[in-house]
């Protein structure tokens, strides 16, 4: 589209009828946050379960990347001005968007492209938009695209960045800037190999693999029009950006009312900005319940939640959201939570992901995930132990060996689904301590030593700064692995509790999607579970 069509009738204004409590707007103040959890971890766990039931779509922070794609591809959608204002407010003082380092590449490129394209549409002050685009472009050219550091392994990055950079160059040329100054290089080490492979796939008329639907907006415009992609439950790839691109290619925003309604709900939940993946019903319920039941904090879980979670596990497992492929991570966490809550489901679906050495997250995965395998270890380990299944017990021990081989020299683990090593280390150390204690003792001790050595002066832990989330994961390593009597643990725990008691509850996006995001209730469950561990270990309540 070259100009913004009128707002879709009946959608202007973003009123209460458009809103769905499916996401929490980070930074929106008290009115935009879920209530603070109760001091008693068990009472807080009860509140979390109630919050999940009340917001079945799940609670996710807004995404700069995704919001900018909706700005660019769906300017006709109500809330357009609010989305532009969100992008302007989210820009960092240095001109970039998003987290430090390479994590800023995708959100910054997305925001710059959207702001440059917005020169054609009415909205906030045009000069302000132009200044923000210029500052963002300078951040890309002068720092982000030339930095000699690996590009984070976020989903679809090798499709998203080349396409966005091409669109930015075309917009600059369209605005009168041409030649070398308009060209933007790929980051060091990135190629167009995957873009070419996907382009050849589309040119041959072959179907787009389901895992690429989530990044449908990153396909070249002239190629995606012929892609055989259709919404599932109204959404393309469970993504507002992908859905907006799919609708925009069809010119008439009423071409698919279900897709339009999905976008309205996604934008209305946060008064304009949109999250990355939504809904996250199965993902959120599995992770929250697993976190709580692992430490004995789950109680009064409604039967309907358990029934719906069990029903989400099919012959090839469960998917994070409709329209995404099933995966071993979501499947194994759901299996573990259900088993611990008295509703075990046979883990036969996990065979789909067994590579012989480890378990892939989804079939055809490039790379591997230690946290997926840590969760598989818990699911298979429980069934091997309690269902007396030699097959599952043997597979669990094989996975444990693979995880041990992946431990880094400093004692930590890192993973492709989270920016922080504390999440990966907690996931692996707790699973090894629970289901492979005989072979993993030394590895778990090393993980504890790494956690103790990396605590910050204020009692917190964190990659870029201390966060409640990462501090909770550190406590899971110290107290959830049976290592509370090791030297230094007592002092570290007391300092961590002091930090958590003073923490204002800042929501820091650390989870990998197309850019970083914050799954609100999942993170809160990790903190509640850590507090339960502290209480069980005999430390005084706050």
């Amino acid at each position: 589209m070259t100009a913004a069509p009128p707002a879709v009738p009946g959608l202007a204004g973003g009123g209460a009828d458009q809103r769905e409590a499916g996401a929490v707007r980070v930074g929106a103040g008290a009115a935009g946050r879920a209530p603070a959890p109760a001091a008693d971890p068990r009472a807080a766990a009860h509140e979390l379960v109630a919050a999940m039931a009340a917001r079945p779509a799940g609670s996710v922070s807004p995404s700069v990347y995704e919001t900018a794609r909706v700005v660019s591809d769906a300017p006709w959608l109500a809330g357009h001005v609010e989305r532009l204002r969100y992008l302007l407010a989210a820009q960092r003082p240095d001109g970039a968007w998003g987290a430090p380092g390479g994590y800023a590449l995708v959100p910054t490129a997305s925001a710059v492209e959207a702001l440059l394209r917005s020169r054609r549409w009415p909205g906030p002050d045009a000069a302000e938009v132009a200044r923000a685009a210029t500052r963002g472009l300078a951040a890309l050219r002068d720092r982000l695209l030339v930095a000699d550091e690996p590009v984070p392994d976020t989903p679809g990055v090798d499709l998203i960045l080349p396409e966005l950079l091409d669109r930015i160059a075309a917009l600059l040329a369209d605005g009168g800037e041409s030649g070398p100054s308009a060209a933007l290089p790929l980051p060091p080490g990135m190629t167009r190999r995957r873009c070419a492979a996907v382009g050849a796939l589309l040119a041959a008329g072959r179907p787009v693999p389901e895992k690429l639907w989530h990044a449908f907006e990153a396909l070249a415009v002239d190629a995606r029009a012929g892609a055989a992609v259709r919404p599932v439950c109204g959404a393309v790839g469970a993504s507002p950006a992908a859905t907006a691109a799919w609708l925009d290619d069809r010119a008439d925003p009423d071409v698919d009312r279900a897709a339009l309604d999905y976008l309205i709900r996604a934008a209305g939940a946060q008064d304009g900005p949109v999250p990355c993946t939504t809904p996250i019903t199965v993902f959120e319920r599995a992770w929250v319940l697993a976190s709580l039941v692992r430490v004995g904090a789950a109680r009064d879980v409604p039967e309907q939640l358990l029934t719906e979670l069990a029903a989400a596990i099919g012959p090839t497992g469960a998917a994070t959201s409709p329209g995404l492929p099933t995966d071993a991570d979501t499947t194994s966490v759901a299996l573990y939570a259900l088993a611990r809550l008295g509703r075990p489901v046979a883990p036969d679906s996990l065979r789909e992901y067994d590579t012989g050495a480890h378990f892939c997250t989804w079939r055809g995965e490039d790379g591997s995930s230690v946290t997926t395998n840590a969760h598989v270890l818990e699911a298979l380990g429980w069934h091997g132990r309690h269902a007396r299944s030699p097959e599952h017990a043997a597979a669990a021990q094989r996975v444990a060996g693979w995880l041990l081989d992946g431990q880094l020299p400093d004692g930590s683990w890192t993973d492709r689904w989270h920016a922080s090593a504390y999440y990966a280390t907690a996931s692996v150390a707790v699973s090894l301590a629970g289901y492979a204690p005989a072979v993993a003792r030394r590895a778990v001790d090393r993980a504890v030593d790494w956690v103790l050595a990396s605590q910050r002066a204020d009692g917190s832990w964190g990659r870029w700064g201390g966060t409640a989330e990462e501090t909770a994961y550190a406590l899971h390593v110290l107290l959830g692995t049976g290592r509370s009597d090791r030297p230094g643990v007592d002092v570290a725990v007391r300092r961590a509790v002091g930090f958590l008691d003073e923490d204002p509850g800042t929501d820091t996006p650390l989870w990998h999607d197309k850019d970083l995001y914050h799954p609100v209730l999942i993170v809160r469950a990790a903190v509640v579970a850590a507090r339960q561990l502290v209480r069980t270990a005999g430390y005084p309540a706050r």
Side-chain angles (χ1 to χ4, degrees):
M1 294 182 179
T2 57
V8 178
L11 302 188
D17 59 324
Q18 295 183 34
R19 300 176 190 174
E20 170 183 304
V24 175
R25 185 173 182 179
V26 176
R33 288 187 181 276
D40 178 2
R42 291 182 182 271
H46 180 73
E47 291 177 359
L48 278 172
V49 172
M52 285 197 303
R55 292 189 292 269
S59 301
V60 191
S61 63
S63 160
V64 168
Y65 168 81
E66 206 89 2
T67 298
R69 294 303 83 227
V70 174
V71 163
S72 191
D73 285 328
W76 39 263
L77 184 69
H80 176 71
V81 171
E82 287 75 12
R83 282 184 284 280
L84 276 171
R85 287 177 177 154
Y86 166 76
L87 294 179
L88 295 175
Q91 190 172 27
R92 299 185 334 211
D94 65 358
W97 282 264
Y103 282 105
L105 274 166
V106 166
T108 301
S110 186
V112 167
E113 194 276 348
L115 294 177
L116 288 173
R117 199 173 181 195
S118 293
R119 293 178 300 194
R120 309 171 181 182
W121 311 318
D125 180 70
E128 185 180 4
V129 170
R131 285 194 297 271
T134 299
R135 292 173 56 229
L137 190 60
L140 280 173
R141 283 175 168 164
D142 299 341
R143 293 185 295 105
L144 298 177
L145 290 173
V146 296
D148 188 18
E149 61 180 78
V151 176
D153 182 23
T154 50
V157 64
D158 50 354
L159 293 176
I160 290 168
L161 267 178
E163 180 63 20
L164 282 176
L165 296 179
D166 286 349
R167 293 183 196 180
I168 290 171
L171 287 165
L172 292 173
D174 188 50
E177 186 174 343
S178 59
S181 61
L184 294 171
L186 289 176
M190 180 174 285
T191 71
R192 294 180 178 270
R193 187 180 304 114
R194 192 162 180 234
C195 294
V198 172
L201 186 89
L202 293 171
R206 297 177 61 188
V208 177
E210 189 179 11
K211 67 180 182 179
L212 294 184
W213 291 20
H214 187 54
F216 177 79
E217 75 283 355
L219 303 182
V221 174
D222 59 348
R224 68 191 188 192
V229 173
R230 292 291 180 269
V232 177
C233 298
V236 173
S239 161
T243 306
W246 185 86
L247 281 170
D248 185 61
D249 286 342
R250 284 142 185 82
D252 177 4
D254 280 321
V255 68
D256 189 299
R257 187 71 210 187
L260 184 59
D261 287 345
Y262 167 82
L263 277 182
I264 293 168
R265 290 194 302 271
Q270 309 196 53
D271 297 327
V274 297
C276 44
T277 302
T278 186
I280 60 164
T281 310
V282 176
F283 170 49
E284 181 179 84
R285 291 178 179 183
W287 259 255
V288 168
L289 293 176
S291 290
L292 298 179
V293 76
R294 192 179 286 117
V295 299
R299 65 176 189 177
D300 302 327
V301 179
E303 281 297 314
Q304 182 178 351
L305 283 186
L306 298 179
T307 298
E308 291 173 354
L309 186 58
I313 303 173
T316 62
T320 292
S321 186
L324 296 178
T326 56
D327 67 85
D329 204 16
T330 307
T331 302
S332 56
V333 178
L335 288 168
Y336 176 77
L338 288 166
R340 292 292 306 272
L341 289 166
R343 293 284 298 272
V345 175
D348 298 341
S349 58
L350 286 176
R351 293 193 185 104
E352 296 283 331
Y353 308 97
D354 191 348
T355 69
H358 67 286
F359 284 69
C360 55
T361 305
W362 62 84
R363 289 168 292 181
E365 177 185 28
D366 298 322
S368 58
S369 164
V370 298
T371 60
T372 292
N373 282 271
H375 298 145
V376 168
L377 172 57
E378 286 190 310
L380 293 181
W382 188 94
H383 281 271
R385 181 179 298 169
H386 296 277
R388 301 185 184 280
S389 168
E391 175 194 356
H392 297 139
Q397 294 311 301
R398 174 162 48 86
V399 170
W402 184 85
L403 288 170
L404 291 171
D405 290 342
Q407 189 173 29
L408 299 177
D410 64 4
S412 69
W413 283 268
T414 59
D415 193 58
R416 67 186 315 179
W417 296 117
H418 202 282
S420 174
Y422 295 101
Y423 171 74
T425 303
S427 298
V428 178
V430 169
S431 69
L432 287 171
Y435 293 97
V439 299
R441 181 172 184 82
R442 176 56 186 149
V444 174
D445 287 346
R446 291 176 59 216
V448 170
D449 291 342
W450 173 74
V451 167
L452 291 173
S454 59
Q455 189 173 27
R456 292 175 175 268
D458 63 358
S460 70
W461 284 269
R463 174 173 179 169
W464 295 303
T467 69
E469 178 182 358
E470 292 164 284
T471 300
Y473 298 142
L475 287 170
H476 282 271
V477 175
L478 299 181
L479 299 177
T481 61
R483 300 307 197 270
S484 59
D485 58 348
R486 281 180 64 80
V489 169
D490 180 73
V491 172
V493 170
R494 293 180 185 278
R495 293 174 61 213
V497 171
F499 171 81
L500 289 178
D501 288 348
E502 298 298 324
D503 180 68
T506 303
D507 297 334
T508 302
L510 291 167
W511 293 68
H512 281 195
D513 200 344
K514 288 177 274 189
D515 60 352
L516 296 182
Y517 72 102
H518 180 80
V520 180
L521 297 186
I522 289 174
V523 170
R524 187 166 299 157
V527 176
V528 169
R531 286 194 177 278
Q532 176 66 14
L533 286 170
V534 168
R535 176 166 291 198
T536 301
Y539 291 88
R542 58 174 177 171

